[in-house]
């Protein structure tokens, strides 16, 4: 969590390989790894849902789901297989999109968000990073996305959500890390920490930067 | 059939009229919806073309004669090939203004090598096309690697390649090509045998049916909704009408022109590349959003460079066809309104200037519109000045349609 400009989205892009870090170390399962390109993160099993969704508006739902990892034989696309798998995946996530061949530009923002989330799940990742997944949505659609996040957790995926909505975090998260001005301003256990303490950390009323974190990451 | 029950059942003629009106309203409604979601495809340009043909035919009955249509078809091949290349660039959301100059340059390279240096024709052709591809790759490098706007890079190319062409032509004002040679054959060869166009039309129709029906069966087996048999039949019927109609036109004059066959095969192959291969999917992805494509792991720079290379190569190929048509290369080759006509043709054919929307067949349809206007005006003896104004208006109309459709799609999407 963190206020505007805290560096949340930048951190997401660094993890995803979209904006490689100038310095520092990324550790994955205890090993230092190099993430310079989006493919690197994907190869490690890290999938990302960006705040702007990063969908191609002109392509249809199937095209977007498989963008960059099309099912093909000698460069020739296998549209039928892609559509079959896409329809299976969306079905298993209880996402209803009437026409998988409609350009994404014609979908509602909730449907787009669902497409972006399912795209992240398509490559069977081990960890999913979501940047402000509910910020642009209405209440009902946001609930659906939160349900999806719960489903991911139940499937045993690690989920990292960036949000500034404390309600969402309370609903689905176990741990919260607060960023402030690009630095870590504390780790909290969502279920035991009072809301006020987290808010104080976000706004800077309690400044933990430059000191040891309140408690090490479990 | 919903007959209004407050009125007595109308008689034959009224009822027929009412049914027609209902159908029309339904058709218009479907069209508007299709337009809102940006899925009208080639319908507006086909309608426009029909209108243009009807107007010219009603003024001068020579317009739709086999002779005129056949000549028109051969005339449009060079421009059509250049347009396909430009479509690749437009699809990623860039623009290529240099294609006219590159086509002239290719003609000059070929003429100097073949006529003045005695290089065999096939080798001279190859070098000319590679030269065009190289010119395109240079544009691509500046646009993709250095991030210079394509508009400026290719504008510079327009001037520079024209300069290079004049330099290559040197003191020769124009060079006449061998009128029995390979390049001349490209546009002056006709397959006189009537069975060839008919056979090829049947082959094309059979190929379409096979692909459509096999695809439909695969979808059914996979449990996916497919097109209804009726829809396949209607499309096959339309395609058959067009193919056999064209075959009839060509048989009525001198037979199937080799150049038209080359254009159609090129369009079909590149259509396959764009719609059915991973490379084509990458091009569309770039047109839909460069940043989204980059984050999906697409090598954006390489794809962007490649489309400019394709555009340069196709411009060179088109340039050879243009040279072939007049069997000479001169200082004005590839100059004048060629660039504007080519880009206009792409947009009129339904390629979006905003990138990400269009097919290779737009090249054929758009060039047909522009050449039909030119040919009709020439037939009527109207000044070039008027022709420019009309082509300009058609281009403006096409761009307005493109912009409005995009806006409608946007607001529809956010609803």
């Amino acid at each position: 969590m963190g206020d505007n400009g805290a560096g949340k989205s930048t951190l997401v892009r660094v993890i995803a390989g979209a904006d490689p870090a100038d310095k520092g170390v990324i550790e994955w399962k205890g090993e230092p790894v190099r993430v310079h390109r989006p493919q690197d993160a994907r190869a490690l099993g890290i999938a990302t849902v960006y705040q702007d969704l990063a969908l191609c508006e002109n392509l249809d739902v199937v095209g977007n789901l498989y963008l960059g990892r099309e099912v093909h034989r000698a460069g020739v696309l296998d549209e039928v297989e892609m559509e079959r798998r896409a329809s299976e995946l969306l079905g298993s996530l209880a996402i209803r999109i009437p026409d998988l061949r409609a350009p994404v530009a014609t979908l509602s923002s909730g449907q787009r968000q669902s497409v972006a989330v399912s795209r992240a799940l398509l490559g069977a990742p081990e960890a999913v990073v979501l940047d402000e997944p509910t910020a642009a949505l209405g209440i009902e659609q946001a609930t659906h996305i939160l349900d999806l996040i719960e489903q991911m957790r139940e499937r045993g995926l690690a989920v990292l959500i960036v949000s500034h909505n404390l309600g969402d975090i309370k609903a689905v998260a176990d741990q919260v890390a607060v960023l402030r001005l690009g630095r870590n301003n504390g780790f909290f256990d969502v279920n035991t920490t009072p809301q006020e303490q987290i808010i104080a950390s976000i706004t800077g009323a309690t400044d933990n930067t430059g000191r040891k974190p309140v408690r090490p990451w479990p | 059939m919903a007959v209004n029950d407050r009125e007595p059942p109308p008689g034959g003629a009224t009822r027929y009229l009412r049914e027609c009106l209902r159908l029309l309203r339904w058709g218009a409604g479907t069209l508007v919806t299709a337009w809102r979601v940006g899925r009208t495809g080639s319908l507006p340009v086909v309608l426009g073309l029909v209108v243009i043909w009807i107007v010219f035919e009603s003024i001068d009955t020579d317009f739709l004669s086999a002779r005129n249509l056949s000549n028109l078809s051969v005339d449009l091949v060079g421009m059509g090939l250049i347009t396909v290349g430009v479509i690749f660039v437009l699809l990623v959301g860039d623009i290529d203004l240099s294609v006219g100059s590159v086509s002239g340059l290719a003609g000059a390279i070929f003429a100097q090598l073949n006529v003045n240096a005695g290089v065999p024709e096939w080798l001279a052709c190859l070098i000319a096309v590679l030269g065009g591809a190289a010119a395109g790759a240079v544009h691509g490098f500046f646009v993709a690697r250095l991030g210079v706007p394509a508009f400026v890079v290719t504008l510079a190319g327009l001037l520079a390649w024209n300069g290079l062409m004049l330099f290559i032509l040197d003191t020769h004002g124009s060079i006449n090509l061998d009128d029995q040679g390979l390049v001349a054959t490209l546009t002056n060869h006709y397959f006189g045998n009537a069975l060839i166009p008919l056979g090829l039309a049947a082959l094309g129709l059979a190929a379409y049916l096979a692909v459509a029906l096999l695809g439909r069966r695969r979808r059914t087996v996979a449990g996916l909704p497919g097109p209804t048999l009726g829809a396949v039949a209607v499309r096959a019927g339309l395609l058959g009408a067009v193919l056999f109609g064209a075959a009839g036109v060509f048989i009525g004059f001198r037979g199937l022109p080799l150049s038209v066959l080359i254009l159609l095969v090129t369009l079909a192959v590149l259509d396959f590349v764009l719609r059915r291969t991973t490379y084509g999917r990458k091009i569309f992805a770039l047109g839909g959003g460069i940043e989204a494509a980059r984050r999906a792991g697409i090598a954006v720079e390489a794809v962007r460079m490649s489309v400019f290379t394709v555009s340069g190569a196709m411009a060179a190929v088109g340039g050879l066809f243009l040279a072939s048509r007049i069997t000479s290369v001169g200082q004005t080759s590839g100059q004048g309104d060629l660039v504007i006509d080519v880009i206009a043709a792409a947009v009129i054919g339904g390629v979006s200037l905003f990138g990400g929307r269009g097919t290779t067949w737009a090249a054929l349809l758009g060039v047909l519109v522009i050449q039909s206007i030119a040919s009709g005006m020439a037939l009527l003896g109207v000044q070039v000045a008027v022709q420019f104004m009309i082509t300009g208006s058609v281009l403006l109309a096409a761009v307005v349609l493109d912009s409005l459709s995009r806006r409608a799609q946007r607001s529809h999407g956010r609803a």
Side-chain angles (χ1 to χ4, degrees), chain A residues 18 38-39 42 50 52 54 56 58 63 67-68 70 72 75-80 83-84 99 101-102 105 107 112, chain B residues 37 39 218-219 222 224 272 275-278 281 284-285 287-289 292 294-298 356 409 412-415:
Chain A
Q39 294 96 309
R42 193 188 282 173
Y50 297 95
D52 61 5
C56 286
N58 60 326
L67 192 59
E70 292 84 1
H72 63 93
V76 178
L77 299 174
D78 189 345
E79 294 281 359
V80 175
E83 188 169 336
R84 192 183 63 76
D99 182 3
R101 289 299 174 186
L107 301 183
R112 288 159 193 242
Chain B
V37 299
R39 284 176 139 189
R218 273 203 69 196
R219 294 182 67 87
L224 298 172
F272 181 82
R275 289 193 305 122
R276 289 279 175 263
T277 67
T278 48
R281 179 58 50 86
F284 276 101
R294 196 171 71 83
R295 290 193 203 158
I298 291 173
Q409 196 178 31
H412 188 81
R414 307 279 180 213

Side-chain angles (χ1 to χ4, degrees), chain A residues 79-111:
Chain A
E79 294 281 359
V80 175
E81 180 61 19
M82 284 194 275
E83 188 169 336
R84 192 183 63 76
R85 287 196 213 163
S87 146
E88 255 177 36
L89 174 73
L90 294 180
S92 74
L93 296 172
I95 295 172
R96 279 183 304 278
I97 291 174
D99 182 3
L100 292 185
R101 289 299 174 186
V104 165
T106 62
L107 301 183
S108 73
S109 44
Q111 287 172 324

Side-chain angles (χ1 to χ4, degrees), chain B residues 12-63:
Chain B
T14 337
R15 181 164 168 183
Y16 175 74
L17 251 176
R18 189 165 293 184
E19 276 305 298
C20 280
L21 269 177
R22 206 171 61 89
L23 254 176
L24 261 180
R25 202 177 302 154
W26 173 80
T30 319
L31 255 183
V32 169
T33 319
W35 183 66
R36 283 229 179 96
V37 299
R39 284 176 139 189
T40 44
S42 329
L43 204 62
V45 57
V46 171
L47 289 178
L49 194 58
V50 169
V51 170
I52 290 171
W53 282 9
I54 290 174
V55 168
F56 281 127
E57 177 68 7
S58 64
I59 300 174
D60 187 333
T61 49
D62 274 344
F63 183 76

Side-chain angles (χ1 to χ4, degrees), chain B residues 164-201:
Chain B
L164 183 59
M165 178 191 84
L166 294 175
F167 182 76
I168 288 176
L169 285 177
D170 197 18
T171 51
H172 310 274
S174 71
I175 301 175
N176 289 324
L177 307 180
D178 174 11
D179 57 7
Q180 302 295 320
L182 176 76
V183 166
T185 310
L186 287 177
T187 54
N188 70 15
H189 186 75
Y190 290 75
F191 298 104
N193 189 337
L195 285 179
I196 292 177
L198 289 176
L200 287 173

Side-chain angles (χ1 to χ4, degrees), chain B residues 272-357:
Chain B
F272 181 82
V273 168
L274 281 182
R275 289 193 305 122
R276 289 279 175 263
T277 67
T278 48
Y279 173 61
R281 179 58 50 86
K282 287 174 189 165
I283 292 179
F284 276 101
L286 253 67
I290 291 227
E291 187 52 30
R294 196 171 71 83
R295 290 193 203 158
I298 291 173
V300 168
E301 285 184 10
V303 175
R304 248 176 136 187
M305 273 184 74
S306 75
V307 293
F308 279 96
T309 311
V310 169
S311 175
M314 290 309 296
V317 174
L320 293 176
F321 276 82
L322 291 176
S324 161
R325 190 70 175 139
I326 53 172
T327 58
S328 81
V329 175
Q331 295 185 333
T332 56
S333 293
Q335 295 303 302
D337 52 342
L338 180 63
V339 181
I340 301 170
D341 280 350
V342 162
I343 291 169
V347 177
I348 291 169
V351 177
S352 174
L353 277 177
F354 304 103
R357 194 142 51 83

